[in-house]
Amino acid sequence: MKHNNVIPNGHFRKHWQNYVKTWFNQPARKTRRRIARQKKAIKIFPRPTAGPLRPIVHCQTLKYNMKVRAGKGFSLEELKAAGIAKKLAPTVGISVDHRRRNSSLEGFQTNVQRLKTYKAKLVVFPRRARKVKAGDSSPEELASATQVTDTFLPIVSEKPTVELVKVSEDMKSFKAYDKLRLERTNKRHAGVRAKRAAEAEKEEKK
């Protein structure tokens, strides 16, 4: 063999089949999940399939606090303002979080309005068909009621609006850099100029 080459010694017996993960059960699992969802919907009828109503809350930390998401449950103050008893709320599909506190008026008002909207659309079935109690819906509403299979009162984040303005001649002639430099200079010399003005005033009084 000529030249100073590497002696071929290929490492090919690596048992690669031990390190490969297959996913052949994916289609069957998809079917199983769909059937489970259908069974659950039948079991909890006439309640919404998405679960109980959740409040709108802001995400944590400075990085994400401009975004909104679904919270754990409505605070006791929100329920009181909406006129819903805290023990009645879980029985009519409203999640309650007794530990939550309202830190902003806007969030409080948003969730109170959310509860009022839900309350207006709510259809309460009687526990016994022949024994109707106070607070239960009328027979006409019960007959027309359907199960909500999609997300109820979805949380939508509002996009900020942009106001378009025509560029005027004053805007075109304005020199932003020059203005910044001037204001920077004024700030730097403010103390010296004030001192000079005070001294000049003293001299005039003499």
Side-chain angles (χ1 to χ4, degrees), residues 7-194:
I7 299 169
N9 59 343
H11 299 71
F12 297 115
R13 296 182 182 179
K14 295 181 187 293
H15 304 288
W16 62 269
Q17 286 164 323
N18 293 341
Y19 303 102
V20 173
K21 188 170 176 65
T22 58
W23 204 9
F24 299 131
N25 61 348
Q26 186 190 19
R29 191 174 281 179
K30 184 180 178 182
T31 308
R32 192 171 68 197
R33 285 196 185 118
R34 189 183 73 249
I35 293 165
R37 282 196 298 271
Q38 289 170 352
K39 283 181 180 177
K40 186 185 175 184
I42 293 164
K43 188 180 179 182
I44 66 170
F45 181 85
R47 300 177 190 88
T49 55
L53 184 73
R54 307 261 177 205
I56 297 172
V57 298
H58 282 264
C59 297
Q60 291 180 330
T61 71
L62 197 66
K63 187 177 180 181
Y64 300 107
N65 65 5
M66 77 294 295
K67 295 187 177 183
V68 289
R69 62 173 178 83
K72 181 178 170 62
F74 290 91
S75 68
L76 300 180
E77 292 85 11
E78 289 165 353
L79 292 168
K80 190 176 181 181
I84 300 168
K86 63 182 179 182
K87 289 192 176 178
L88 173 72
T91 65
V92 291
I94 300 169
S95 56
V96 181
D97 185 8
H98 65 90
R99 295 168 297 184
R100 218 177 113 239
R101 299 283 179 269
N102 293 102
S103 57
S104 72
L105 184 64
E106 290 88 352
F108 174 76
Q109 288 172 345
T110 304
N111 283 325
V112 168
Q113 188 56 47
R114 188 172 169 82
L115 282 168
K116 285 179 178 176
T117 308
Y118 180 79
K119 195 178 174 183
K121 295 182 178 183
L122 185 66
V123 177
V124 181
F125 279 71
R127 288 196 170 183
R128 295 178 187 174
R130 295 178 186 177
K131 199 172 184 181
V132 180
K133 291 185 176 181
D136 294 340
S137 299
S138 62
E140 293 81 21
E141 287 179 326
L142 296 176
S144 62
T146 55
Q147 188 179 30
V148 179
T149 54
D150 203 3
T151 50
F152 188 69
L153 296 176
I155 297 169
V156 181
S157 57
E158 294 181 7
K159 291 183 179 179
T161 54
V162 178
E163 189 179 345
L164 299 173
V165 180
K166 283 190 175 181
V167 180
S168 64
E169 288 298 323
D170 294 337
M171 289 180 182
K172 286 179 182 177
S173 61
F174 178 72
K175 294 180 179 178
Y177 181 74
D178 293 353
K179 178 69 173 171
L180 283 170
R181 296 299 297 181
L182 181 67
E183 292 300 326
R184 187 164 174 259
T185 308
N186 290 341
K187 187 184 175 186
R188 198 167 72 239
H189 296 306
V192 178
R193 285 172 182 171

